[in-house]
Amino acid sequence: GSGQTDFGPQLKSMNKQLFTVVAWDPRGYGKSIPPSRDFPPDFFERDAKDAVDLMQALKFKKFSLLGWSDGGITALIAAAKYPNLIHKLVVWGANASVTQEDVRIYNGIRDVSKWSEKVKKPLEELYGHKYFAETCEAWVDGISRFAENSDGNICQQLLPDIKCPTFIIHGEKDPLVPQAHAEYIHKHIKGSRLLLMPEGKHNLHLRFAKDFNREVENFLR
């Protein structure tokens, strides 16, 4: 994805009187090409450092992080590693480990030609079919590798280091990230809050944008 394809309702409708909203594309995505996207073993740590470096270059002394899916994992790592910089944290559709069941789910989306036209079209327009298809395959391989770690660990050991107020949102009908992941993150971040959205899927911030924006704005105030 990219900032522009994935966060339209947030960029458009979040309260600009209260917040400065910065949407960034990790390297290899959206407008951060070149370079092409790759998935070395530390790609989440690299993305977390890139995000924090960007905010510091923009002269923000302290800021909150909103992270969806891979961006949620990136935000968890950033909040744990740079505690003095992070004000509050919101993550949704995120996981701190990869199970064999997750690998099975990821392989189900490996072939982008099987995606729905609605989801596929903006991404093909952004990247061209070849880059989009190859990057999706490389992502499946890259994230599946974590299943080989002890407990499938991505960043489980970092969760207790997160000290900022944390809000975890999860769609109960998320087909990509089982609910147990959200519950694990909630359990291991002291004082965190978990909101389950009964009708929410993986893209709950798009489908239920008004409710999502309201919940997040109230938390960030």
Side-chain angles (χ1 to χ4, degrees), residues 104-170:
R104 189 187 64 73
I105 294 169
Y106 301 149
N107 277 303
I109 63 163
R110 175 188 288 276
D111 181 355
V112 298
S113 68
K114 295 177 180 164
W115 290 26
S116 77
E117 206 50 44
K118 189 179 165 202
V119 177
K120 191 168 59 174
K121 194 163 178 260
L123 294 166
E124 288 192 327
E125 283 171 3
L126 178 67
Y127 294 118
H129 176 76
K130 185 171 184 284
Y131 186 89
F132 168 48
E134 286 174 358
T135 304
C136 184
E137 285 208 26
W139 174 80
V140 170
D141 292 339
I143 197 161
S144 296
R145 245 177 258 126
F146 289 101
E148 295 161 18
N149 293 347
S150 168
D151 291 333
N153 181 45
I154 302 174
C155 61
Q156 290 171 317
Q157 76 289 357
L158 293 176
L159 300 181
D161 296 341
I162 297 174
K163 304 295 185 230
C164 64
T166 300
F167 186 21
I168 302 144
I169 305 172
H170 197 78

Side-chain angles (χ1 to χ4, degrees), residues 3-214:
Q4 69 203 75
T5 57
D6 290 4
F7 300 100
Q10 286 66 50
L11 294 172
K12 188 167 155 241
S13 306
M14 285 193 89
N15 188 328
K16 307 299 191 303
Q17 267 84 46
L18 286 177
F19 309 110
T20 301
V21 182
V22 177
W24 76 292
D25 288 334
R27 61 175 80 185
Y29 290 133
K31 293 183 177 174
S32 296
I33 302 172
S36 293
R37 183 66 184 180
D38 63 348
F39 298 93
D42 66 343
F43 72 90
F44 284 119
E45 280 83 1
R46 184 181 69 181
D47 287 350
K49 185 177 185 304
D50 284 349
V52 168
D53 286 351
L54 172 67
M55 294 304 279
Q56 290 191 299
L58 293 172
K59 303 285 188 273
F60 288 98
K61 288 190 170 60
K62 208 161 183 178
F63 47 91
S64 294
L65 292 171
L66 276 64
W68 174 42
S69 201
D70 271 21
I73 300 170
T74 301
L76 291 168
I77 292 168
K81 289 195 165 182
Y82 308 94
N84 299 333
L85 300 175
I86 312 304
H87 177 54
K88 291 183 178 180
L89 173 65
V90 183
V91 296
W92 66 105
N95 46 303
S97 64
V98 174
T99 66
Q100 289 303 325
E101 167 68 2
D102 295 328
V103 172
R104 189 187 64 73
I105 294 169
Y106 301 149
N107 277 303
I109 63 163
R110 175 188 288 276
D111 181 355
V112 298
S113 68
K114 295 177 180 164
W115 290 26
S116 77
E117 206 50 44
K118 189 179 165 202
V119 177
K120 191 168 59 174
K121 194 163 178 260
L123 294 166
E124 288 192 327
E125 283 171 3
L126 178 67
Y127 294 118
H129 176 76
K130 185 171 184 284
Y131 186 89
F132 168 48
E134 286 174 358
T135 304
C136 184
E137 285 208 26
W139 174 80
V140 170
D141 292 339
I143 197 161
S144 296
R145 245 177 258 126
F146 289 101
E148 295 161 18
N149 293 347
S150 168
D151 291 333
N153 181 45
I154 302 174
C155 61
Q156 290 171 317
Q157 76 289 357
L158 293 176
L159 300 181
D161 296 341
I162 297 174
K163 304 295 185 230
C164 64
T166 300
F167 186 21
I168 302 144
I169 305 172
H170 197 78
E172 290 188 27
K173 294 185 175 174
D174 188 331
L176 200 59
V177 180
Q179 190 173 312
H181 285 301
E183 289 166 353
Y184 182 95
I185 293 167
H186 172 48
K187 186 179 169 189
H188 291 87
I189 300 178
K190 200 174 173 193
S192 63
R193 184 180 151 210
L194 174 62
L195 170 68
L196 296 175
M197 295 178 71
E199 293 302 312
K201 293 187 180 176
H202 197 56
N203 64 346
L204 56 86
H205 64 297
L206 300 177
R207 186 158 169 225
F208 300 105
K210 209 170 164 188
D211 293 345
F212 175 88
N213 288 2
R214 187 186 66 243

